[in-house]
Amino acid sequence: MNVIPMYIIGERLNTSIPEISKAVKSRDKDKIIEEACAQVEAGEAALDINAGTHGRSEEDDVLWMMDVVTDGANVPLSLDSSNAGIIEVCLNQYKGPGTPIINSINGEAAKLEALTKLIKEHHCDVIALAMDERGIPDTAAARLEVITKVIDHLENEGIARSRIYADPLVIPVSTDTSKALCTIETLQGIKKDFPEVKTIVGLSNISFGLPKSKLLNRTFLAILIASGLDAAILDPTMPGIMPTVKAAEVLLNHDEFCTNYLSAYRSGKLEP
Amino acid sequence: MNVIPMYIIGERLNTSIPEISKAVKSRDKDKIIEEACAQVEAGEAALDINAGTHGRSEEDDVLWMMDVVTDGANVPLSLDSSNAGIIEVCLNQYKGPGTPIINSINGEAAKLEALTKLIKEHHCDVIALAMDERGIPDTAAARLEVITKVIDHLENEGIARSRIYADPLVIPVSTDTSKALCTIETLQGIKKDFPEVKTIVGLSNISFGLPKSKLLNRTFLAILIASGLDAAILDPTMPGIMPTVKAAEVLLNHDEFCTNYLSAYRSGKLEP
């Protein structure tokens, strides 16, 4: 058995969180490093950085975040921006470690072309969303069709399937209780059609608008891991999240002799 | 949408639990009623009763438990004994409400014959285990083969598939980390081959021998519900168990408009 543990990407370095926005605006290095290290410690995680809510100062702010996090935490970064130009600037200044992930591409033609060029130049990984210029499809079949086109395009450009993280997309279940099942079915379809492609979700969106978000997030995470999820963007410091990952890995036979589970237990990481 | 909520059967009225054994031996009605009502309240549950550890007094003890629980809790019972004669006596004296469940039959020929007769006479439901006189098969394919024979036998005797709860069997994952996956795959096979048959597990066995049993139990439960589980014998008073059921039902689109989830939240039943 040689199973790779779940790849966790910490979501908290995002200026949509008021305290992060404040820390970025005031150039509070200590706060950013503290948030970075807490996530790395909890989730053995890579880190997503996003200053998209800051409008005209996004480029300066995300570059500052990247510098601070690279110095303070030394883990691979997920470069998260809807602006391809900003992703390019970040890639040019990325100092490691490892390979950054572009977050994200989708079926939208112009952006797909621009970012494909960057993926090839910088040999980085990429998150590919199951949507295009028409928006997010309503059915699993339609999402699978969109992501298939993106994967085929990347493959034709010489980008290995193993460098792609396909995202079936998570929509708040409060908006329509069929939405979580649509994510699960899209995920299963991707794993069936493209076993070499990795799968990822942004987890926290599922519980938006409902009470007990931790309960919904951890329960959905268990179901998604059992459906073939390889990676997740989430808050690894949220109670119950990393313990659920460790438990699911035991139950799905990804953790022979329960080695990682027992090690997490001994170091207090199955609490609460 | 017309989805039946998970059918929960409380497991705690079992003399393998020392305080229950003591209460049964001393004919402590209050303690038994308290345990019965706590489970019914937590899980909207039916109740399993088992005095199998009491040897020669099993029949007297389980009949006494049945009387006490029927008076005190008024929910259907799962009659749990390895002795077909004791199940027959219980069925003869069963006063309701609803239909009792026989717990359990398996592929063992003599017992299967004796209990099939009782199921027909008493029009009750039955839990059918994926094992026979040779023991519990190691692979999902072999378990599915055994349970198929049992289902076919019952059907030939005129027992509707909808009255059968097929149990893929849960073995402690600490003994071999492939065992949970074997349960999951057997369950998926049963749902695929026999969509009208209900599925059930005895949950708690999964975590035997490992720390943080609540974490493993609730995570496995989420995965099993997503794999098609219809019913479970478990401790509904265990923290995190019933909240996980309610969350999974939302995520799998079994709870339109999140009605049951929000109602459980308002009555404090999503704690802790």
Side-chain angles (χ1 to χ4, degrees):
Chain A
M1 188 165 57
N2 186 12
V3 178
I4 300 167
M6 277 285 289
Y7 190 58
I8 305 293
I9 301 175
E11 73 182 5
R12 290 188 50 82
L13 293 177
N14 190 313
T15 56
S16 68
I17 299 171
E19 55 179 327
I20 301 300
S21 176
K22 194 178 149 205
V24 172
K25 281 182 178 156
S26 63
R27 296 297 189 252
D28 180 349
K29 278 190 188 187
D30 291 348
K31 171 68 180 168
I32 296 299
I33 291 175
E34 181 192 310
E35 284 283 353
C37 292
Q39 293 181 91
V40 171
E41 163 70 12
E44 300 152 35
L47 295 172
D48 188 81
I49 54 172
N50 182 316
T53 59
H54 282 191
R56 287 174 58 185
S57 73
E58 181 184 356
E59 182 173 321
D60 287 347
D61 289 355
V62 82
L63 284 172
W64 176 81
M65 285 169 92
M66 190 170 79
D67 272 353
V68 171
V69 175
T70 300
D71 285 353
N74 199 40
V75 295
L77 299 183
S78 159
L79 307 173
D80 186 0
S81 173
S82 60
N83 182 328
I86 290 178
I87 288 185
E88 183 168 14
V89 175
C90 287
L91 286 170
N92 285 332
Q93 300 194 26
Y94 188 76
K95 295 191 194 74
T99 315
I101 301 182
I102 291 179
N103 185 6
S104 58
I105 60 168
N106 62 56
E108 210 180 313
K111 208 165 152 191
L112 183 55
E113 188 142 341
L115 288 170
T116 300
K117 189 168 154 281
L118 295 179
I119 299 166
K120 288 163 74 173
E121 276 174 26
H122 293 270
H123 305 285
C124 50
D125 294 344
V126 63
I127 296 171
L129 310 183
M131 62 178 285
D132 59 18
E133 48 271 270
R134 294 166 300 180
I136 301 175
D138 268 340
T139 67
R143 288 190 196 179
L144 196 56
E145 195 178 313
V146 169
I147 199 79
T148 298
K149 279 187 193 159
V150 177
I151 292 169
D152 286 348
H153 168 85
L154 293 172
E155 198 168 26
N156 287 337
E157 294 284 336
I159 296 161
R161 287 185 178 182
S162 60
R163 282 163 59 194
I164 305 168
Y165 289 81
D167 184 340
L169 292 174
V170 172
I171 290 176
V173 73
S174 58
T175 62
D176 174 347
T177 45
S178 73
K179 289 301 182 196
L181 210 49
C182 182
T183 303
I184 296 166
E185 288 167 0
T186 307
L187 175 61
Q188 290 168 336
I190 296 168
K191 292 306 291 184
K192 182 167 168 289
D193 291 355
F194 304 101
E196 313 89 345
V197 167
K198 290 170 186 140
T199 51
I200 194 166
V201 295
L203 181 70
S204 311
N205 215 20
I206 193 66
S207 55
F208 182 80
L210 284 172
K212 298 285 163 192
S213 57
K214 295 183 198 73
L215 167 64
L216 285 164
N217 291 4
R218 79 175 189 226
T219 305
F220 197 42
L221 183 58
I223 293 171
L224 292 173
I225 297 174
S227 302
L229 192 69
D230 298 296
I233 302 180
L234 51 73
D235 178 0
T237 69
M238 178 179 268
I241 287 292
M242 290 310 300
T244 295
V245 172
K246 300 293 179 193
E249 287 182 333
V250 165
L251 296 166
L252 297 165
N253 201 17
H254 298 175
D255 180 12
E256 201 172 12
F257 308 121
C258 311
T259 311
N260 294 337
Y261 182 83
L262 292 171
S263 158
Y265 171 67
R266 282 190 296 267
S267 57
K269 287 191 172 178
L270 300 185
E271 307 291 345
Chain B
M1 189 167 54
N2 186 13
V3 178
I4 300 167
M6 276 286 288
Y7 190 58
I8 304 294
I9 301 176
E11 72 181 5
R12 289 188 49 82
L13 293 176
N14 190 313
T15 56
S16 67
I17 299 171
E19 56 181 325
I20 301 300
S21 176
K22 193 177 150 204
V24 172
K25 280 181 179 157
S26 64
R27 296 295 189 254
D28 180 350
K29 278 190 188 187
D30 291 348
K31 171 68 180 168
I32 297 298
I33 291 175
E34 182 192 310
E35 283 284 354
C37 291
Q39 293 182 91
V40 171
E41 164 68 13
E44 300 151 36
L47 295 172
D48 187 80
I49 55 171
N50 182 317
T53 59
H54 281 190
R56 287 173 59 185
S57 73
E58 180 183 357
E59 182 173 322
D60 286 348
D61 289 355
V62 82
L63 284 171
W64 176 80
M65 285 169 93
M66 189 168 80
D67 271 354
V68 171
V69 175
T70 301
D71 284 354
N74 199 41
V75 295
L77 299 184
S78 159
L79 307 173
D80 185 0
S81 173
S82 60
N83 182 328
I86 290 178
I87 288 185
E88 182 168 14
V89 175
C90 287
L91 286 170
N92 286 332
Q93 300 193 25
Y94 187 77
K95 295 191 193 76
T99 315
I101 301 182
I102 291 180
N103 185 7
S104 59
I105 61 169
N106 62 58
E108 211 179 314
K111 208 164 151 190
L112 183 55
E113 188 142 341
L115 288 170
T116 302
K117 187 168 155 281
L118 295 178
I119 300 166
K120 288 162 76 173
E121 276 175 25
H122 293 270
H123 306 286
C124 50
D125 294 344
V126 63
I127 295 171
L129 310 184
M131 60 179 287
D132 59 19
E133 47 272 90
R134 295 165 299 179
I136 300 175
D138 268 340
T139 67
R143 288 191 196 179
L144 196 56
E145 196 178 311
V146 169
I147 200 79
T148 298
K149 279 186 193 162
V150 178
I151 292 169
D152 285 348
H153 168 86
L154 293 172
E155 198 166 28
N156 288 337
E157 294 284 335
I159 297 160
R161 288 186 178 181
S162 60
R163 282 163 60 195
I164 305 169
Y165 289 81
D167 184 340
L169 294 173
V170 172
I171 290 177
V173 73
S174 58
T175 62
D176 173 349
T177 45
S178 73
K179 290 301 183 194
L181 210 50
C182 182
T183 304
I184 296 166
E185 287 168 359
T186 307
L187 175 62
Q188 290 168 335
I190 297 168
K191 292 307 290 185
K192 181 167 170 287
D193 292 354
F194 304 102
E196 314 88 345
V197 167
K198 290 169 187 139
T199 51
I200 193 166
V201 294
L203 181 70
S204 310
N205 215 20
I206 193 66
S207 54
F208 182 81
L210 284 173
K212 297 286 163 191
S213 57
K214 294 184 198 73
L215 167 64
L216 285 163
N217 290 4
R218 80 175 188 226
T219 305
F220 197 41
L221 184 58
I223 293 172
L224 291 172
I225 298 174
S227 303
L229 192 70
D230 298 297
I233 303 180
L234 50 73
D235 178 0
T237 69
M238 179 179 266
I241 288 292
M242 291 310 301
T244 296
V245 171
K246 299 293 179 195
E249 288 181 334
V250 165
L251 296 166
L252 297 164
N253 201 16
H254 298 175
D255 181 11
E256 203 173 10
F257 308 123
C258 311
T259 311
N260 294 338
Y261 182 83
L262 292 170
S263 159
Y265 171 67
R266 282 189 295 265
S267 57
K269 287 191 172 178
L270 299 186
E271 308 292 344

